[in-house]
Amino acid sequence: YKYLLWGLFAKVIGAVFFAIIYAYYYRGGDTMSYFFSSVAMGNLAIADPLAYIKVLFGDNTLENIQYFTKETGKPFDFVYYDDRTFMVVRLISPITLLTFNSFLLTTVLVASASYVGVWRCYQTFVRYYPKLMGPFAIAVLFMPSCIFWGSAILKDTFTFAGVCWYFHGVDQYFFRKANKFRSGWQIFLGLFLVITIKPYIFMAIFPVTLLWLSYNRLASIRNALIKYLFVPAVFVGLVFLSFFVLIQMGDRLDKFSLDRAMATIITTQNDMSRAEEYGANKFDIGELDGTWLNVLSKYPVATNAALFRPYLWECNSVVMYLAGLENLFLLLLAFSVLWKSRIVLFPSLIFKNPLVLLCMAFVLTYAFITGITTPNFGALVRFKIPLIPFMVAGLYIMRYLLQQRKQVMQRGGKFRFERFIDGDPLTVQQSAVVTG
């Protein structure tokens, strides 16, 4: 808990810094549009509480927008008529009402509320490896992009918190066997925030969750022949189950559903590459011809862009330079793990540890989805923040396992990665004190 307040302070300071920049330097942006739309909602709540309830929980239709008057003001059209954008207004309107329409106070309260999920995510990692308390704090609580883009009145703040809540809830429900009702609500809250605001995140996190949940059952099989016959069957089953769920959720995923994904990728590529508000920080992944084989061929370029770009020499503003420095840190950390593993041990580090497998599978899946649909560095540094804690935490775990292996080998012992399947065997029992 020594990091609890420091993490909160970082979150609040990042949110205030963001608010000041967009209020006084840019004098606008999405965050201001969300806020002023929520002010109109707050004014409606005072003028006509019943109408406010209808708009808050009803459809954002032409009929409901008639409740807004000149006295209350009305939400921006591009905010109101987009279900996923207006969800942010629905979420913050009670806070705006509580703060008497203060932009700064609303921003601070949003940052503070979203921090709860981030803190729970941090506790989950610490439960497995209590000795990595400090490195995990860097990964989850103090990464600059997550603090800056994941604390203000933005979609990314809520979806980032949603991913963290979901990760914590799944661990509590399926692995710790904690309070099932509370854990179930944590999973529901995370999924609600992700699906209603940025459903493509769900498309990345759901399959890797199935992989994570099935790992322990596979690891418990002792017979090598049965295991190697069973693993391919489970993998195929997971693929089909993922496709089935994503197809069944087509209506909820809307333009991100599987049958519309290709059109969404091409449209988003074209729109964001022309978007003036993102500046000239663009990158080219090559031409998309509308076939899945062509899209998958862009995997290396798109994933590399999402993970490590913009490079320092591609930056042309203060915000981009900060992102470039963070990306340099990610690149050096990844290369250090590769170097220490001599590459040969790298597969064992991933496939013999379920937590690392979850982190890397989510990172590589989400990075591709983000990179293939976001040909613009200005948007990319914001959209990719959900993967950053998992990437950094996963790399720190791998580095720790390599250090443990080195110590055991120096003493002439035999090291087995399987000993760390459920976390650090030397300290995992103590973690109940940290996460209880």
Side-chain angles (χ1 to χ4, degrees):
Y1 282 93
K2 65 180 179 179
Y3 294 108
L4 177 65
L5 289 181
W6 287 111
L8 178 61
F9 293 155
K11 193 86 168 168
V12 171
I13 291 172
V16 171
F17 186 57
F18 182 95
I20 290 173
I21 289 177
Y22 274 80
Y24 294 104
Y25 182 75
Y26 291 115
R27 297 185 179 275
D30 290 346
T31 185
M32 304 297 289
S33 300
Y34 298 147
F35 172 72
F36 285 118
S37 296
S38 70
V39 168
M41 288 281 288
N43 293 337
L44 179 63
I46 296 173
D48 189 345
L50 183 59
Y52 170 75
I53 296 297
K54 289 181 179 178
V55 175
L56 186 65
F57 295 103
D59 295 329
N60 42 322
T61 60
L62 278 171
E63 180 183 355
N64 281 342
I65 203 172
Q66 304 303 320
Y67 290 118
F68 294 95
T69 64
K70 289 183 178 180
E71 289 71 27
T72 64
K74 73 172 188 175
F76 288 92
D77 285 345
F78 81 92
V79 173
Y80 181 79
Y81 290 111
D82 187 312
D83 292 338
R84 310 194 189 287
T85 303
F86 195 59
M87 179 55 66
V88 176
V89 178
R90 287 188 167 106
L91 292 171
I92 69 171
S93 64
I95 301 177
T96 306
L97 192 62
L98 181 66
T99 62
F100 300 99
N101 299 338
S102 168
F103 175 61
L104 190 60
L105 285 179
T106 301
T107 301
V108 169
L109 288 181
V110 167
S112 303
S114 66
Y115 178 68
V116 180
V118 177
W119 175 254
R120 290 301 186 188
C121 177
Y122 169 70
Q123 286 185 305
T124 302
F125 278 114
V126 171
R127 181 177 83 82
Y128 285 93
Y129 295 93
K131 287 185 177 180
L132 297 181
M133 218 176 286
F136 285 154
I138 295 173
V140 182
L141 306 180
F142 300 126
M143 291 301 291
S145 289
C146 299
I147 292 173
F148 186 76
W149 297 108
S151 303
I153 304 174
L154 291 171
K155 290 181 181 179
D156 309 275
T157 300
F158 294 99
T159 53
F160 180 54
V163 170
C164 292
W165 270 120
Y166 176 78
F167 169 63
H168 174 72
V170 169
D171 178 71
Q172 292 284 301
Y173 191 95
F174 291 101
F175 296 109
R176 286 200 67 189
K177 309 295 184 182
N179 186 306
K180 292 296 184 74
F181 180 78
R182 184 177 62 184
S183 303
W185 270 105
Q186 291 168 348
I187 296 173
F188 173 80
L189 175 61
L191 289 178
F192 173 79
L193 292 173
V194 167
I195 294 174
T196 57
I197 299 176
K198 289 190 175 183
Y200 63 85
I201 300 178
F202 174 77
M203 297 180 72
I205 204 169
F206 177 71
V208 302
T209 302
L210 295 180
L211 184 64
W212 187 28
L213 296 178
S214 62
Y215 187 97
N216 282 350
R217 294 187 179 277
L218 294 175
S220 63
I221 300 175
R222 300 302 179 187
N223 188 294
L225 179 61
I226 296 177
K227 178 182 290 189
Y228 286 114
L229 290 175
F230 194 53
V231 167
V234 170
F235 178 77
V236 172
L238 291 178
V239 171
F240 276 102
L241 179 59
S242 299
F243 272 102
F244 175 77
V245 171
L246 294 177
I247 290 172
Q248 293 299 310
M249 291 188 63
D251 292 338
R252 296 295 305 165
L253 299 180
D254 192 24
K255 64 180 180 180
F256 299 102
S257 60
L258 290 180
D259 59 338
R260 300 175 62 184
M262 178 61 69
T264 300
I265 290 172
I266 295 176
T267 302
T268 308
Q269 272 272 341
N270 294 335
D271 289 347
M272 298 197 71
S273 63
R274 293 192 301 263
E276 294 180 0
E277 61 266 32
Y278 293 123
N281 293 319
K282 303 170 185 175
F283 62 94
D284 185 17
I285 63 169
E287 184 179 354
L288 296 176
D289 63 9
T291 64
W292 282 110
L293 185 62
N294 172 254
V295 168
L296 293 176
S297 70
K298 310 298 182 185
Y299 183 89
V301 178
T303 303
N304 174 70
L307 295 180
F308 304 120
R309 295 179 70 182
Y311 304 123
L312 281 175
W313 57 86
E314 295 175 318
C315 302
N316 57 12
S317 67
V318 175
V319 174
M320 284 296 102
Y321 273 113
L322 292 176
L325 289 172
E326 182 180 85
N327 290 336
L328 179 62
F329 166 75
L330 295 176
L331 186 62
L332 292 176
L333 182 61
F335 268 114
S336 70
V337 173
L338 277 172
W339 178 265
K340 291 178 180 179
S341 69
R342 302 189 187 107
I343 301 180
V344 177
L345 294 174
F346 199 74
S348 295
L349 288 169
I350 296 177
F351 294 107
K352 292 187 177 182
N353 189 291
L355 188 57
V356 175
L357 180 61
L358 165 77
C359 291
M360 293 300 108
F362 174 62
V363 166
L364 295 176
T365 303
Y366 183 70
F368 173 61
I369 294 174
T370 308
I372 198 69
T373 58
T374 315
N376 189 289
F377 293 137
L380 188 62
V381 296
R382 176 157 59 99
F383 294 169
K384 79 175 192 178
I385 62 172
L387 70 80
I388 292 177
F390 293 91
M391 178 180 179
V392 179
L395 290 171
Y396 275 134
I397 294 172
M398 287 191 278
R399 193 174 71 171
Y400 175 73
L401 295 177
L402 290 171
Q403 291 171 347
Q404 296 300 306
R405 179 180 182 276
K406 182 178 179 180
Q407 293 175 7
V408 171
M409 300 292 282
Q410 286 176 343
R411 294 194 299 266
K414 184 177 180 180
F415 182 84
R416 297 179 67 251
F417 287 108
E418 289 81 357
R419 291 181 61 241
F420 292 82
I421 281 182
D422 296 318
D424 192 334
L426 302 178
T427 57
V428 72
Q429 297 298 325
Q430 304 168 11
S431 67
V433 177
V434 177
T435 59

